[in-house]
């Protein structure tokens, strides 16, 4: 805030919101077409500052995505683990019921079928828990920074001469088109 206050000739330190607004106006983040890549561009009079900002934004994005991903995995792991222990208790209760009542239970087959279904569900949950533990230790969808920003050797600005020439040619084409349309109407 203090550094940019000096840079932008402010008589006081900038508030964080003001710094963010300035940063946002100098920053361009785009997803590259038909890819999962993003490009981060920063405009600054100081090439090193531009490279530092671009790298900092990329690193913060990576850290944020990783933390978000880890939170999702931990939440799923907790949900699956709670469900697993709930099933374990149900299985234990049904097995106790079968042992205590033995042949006295009128619907023994139904209880045994429910018990088998619960055991199958428990196995599926065990598999999901293992998958989440693997995901936690070796995450997929990891964000990688494949190309760190390097300071440009010379500033990159829009080519004013090309832009002027394009504007002139475009305007001349429109004027010529209007003249030809009018001359075509007057000759008919």
């Amino acid at each position: 805030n203090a550094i940019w206050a000096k840079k932008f000739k402010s008589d006081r330190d900038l508030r964080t919101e003001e710094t963010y607004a300035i940063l946002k106006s100098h920053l361009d983040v785009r997803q590259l077409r038909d890819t999962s890549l993003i490009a981060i561009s920063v405009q600054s009079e100081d090439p090193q500052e531009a490279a530092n900002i671009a790298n900092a934004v990329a690193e913060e994005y990576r850290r944020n995505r990783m933390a978000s991903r880890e939170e999702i995995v931990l939440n799923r792991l907790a949900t699956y683990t709670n469900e697993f222990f709930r099933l374990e208790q149900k299985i234990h209760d049904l097995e106790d019921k079968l042992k205590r009542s033995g042949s006295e239970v009128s619907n023994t087959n139904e209880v045994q079928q429910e018990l088998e279904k619960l055991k199958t569900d428990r196995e599926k949950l065990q598999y999901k828990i293992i998958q989440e533990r693997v995901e936690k230790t070796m995450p997929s969808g990891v964000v990688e920074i494949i190309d760190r920003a390097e300071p440009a050797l010379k500033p990159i600005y829009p080519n004013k001469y090309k832009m002027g020439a394009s504007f002139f040619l475009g305007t001349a084409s429109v004027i010529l088109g209007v003249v030809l349309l009018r001359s075509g109407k007057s000759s008919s």
Side-chain angles (χ1 to χ4, degrees):
N1 292 347
I3 294 171
W4 275 17
K6 240 187 247 181
K7 181 176 179 173
F8 293 102
K9 296 176 179 44
S10 175
D11 54 349
R12 60 172 174 72
D13 284 359
L14 298 175
R15 292 188 330 269
T16 302
E17 301 82 36
E18 292 172 312
T19 305
Y20 281 141
I22 292 170
L23 177 62
K24 191 175 177 181
S25 71
H26 290 83
L27 185 67
D28 182 36
V29 179
R30 297 174 192 243
Q31 182 173 359
L32 300 178
R33 190 178 174 138
D34 299 327
T35 72
S36 59
L37 301 175
I38 59 172
I40 300 169
S41 302
V42 178
Q43 292 179 352
S44 174
E45 292 174 4
D46 177 3
Q48 187 61 54
E49 179 187 55
N52 290 345
I53 291 170
N55 288 330
V57 168
E59 186 56 38
E60 186 57 30
Y61 176 78
R62 188 190 70 73
R63 251 195 315 271
N64 187 287
R65 285 293 301 258
M66 292 299 294
S68 175
R69 182 81 184 127
E70 184 176 1
E71 183 180 344
I72 289 168
V73 168
L74 290 175
N75 286 338
R76 277 198 307 239
L77 190 55
T79 300
Y80 294 156
T81 302
N82 290 337
E83 179 66 14
F84 177 82
F85 286 122
R86 189 186 67 75
L87 284 175
E88 279 285 301
Q89 187 61 50
K90 275 183 144 181
I91 290 168
H92 179 71
D93 293 347
L94 280 177
E95 287 174 339
D96 275 357
K97 184 178 180 180
L98 281 173
K99 284 179 189 172
R100 275 184 282 127
S101 32
S103 60
E104 295 172 16
V105 177
S106 61
N107 57 351
T108 306
N109 285 341
E110 288 176 21
V111 173
Q112 286 178 337
Q113 285 176 349
E114 184 178 350
L115 187 60
E116 289 306 313
K117 182 187 178 314
L118 289 173
K119 287 180 178 180
T120 301
D121 291 346
R122 178 182 65 184
E123 284 179 26
K124 289 176 183 176
L125 268 174
Q126 281 176 318
Y127 180 71
K128 287 181 177 182
I129 289 170
I130 290 169
Q131 282 181 314
E132 292 303 324
R133 285 183 177 161
V134 167
E135 178 66 24
K136 185 179 164 201
T137 57
M138 298 182 303
S140 64
V142 174
V143 174
E144 264 185 77
I145 299 172
I146 58 173
D147 192 15
R148 295 225 172 255
E150 296 289 331
L153 297 176
K154 63 179 187 171
I156 302 169
Y157 296 103
N159 188 326
K160 293 177 186 174
Y161 299 111
K162 282 185 183 177
M163 288 175 58
S166 296
F167 176 76
F168 175 73
L169 289 174
T171 305
S173 298
V174 170
I175 292 171
L176 181 61
V178 170
V179 168
L180 289 175
L181 280 174
R182 285 191 177 173
S183 67
K185 283 184 180 177
S186 62
S187 62
S188 337

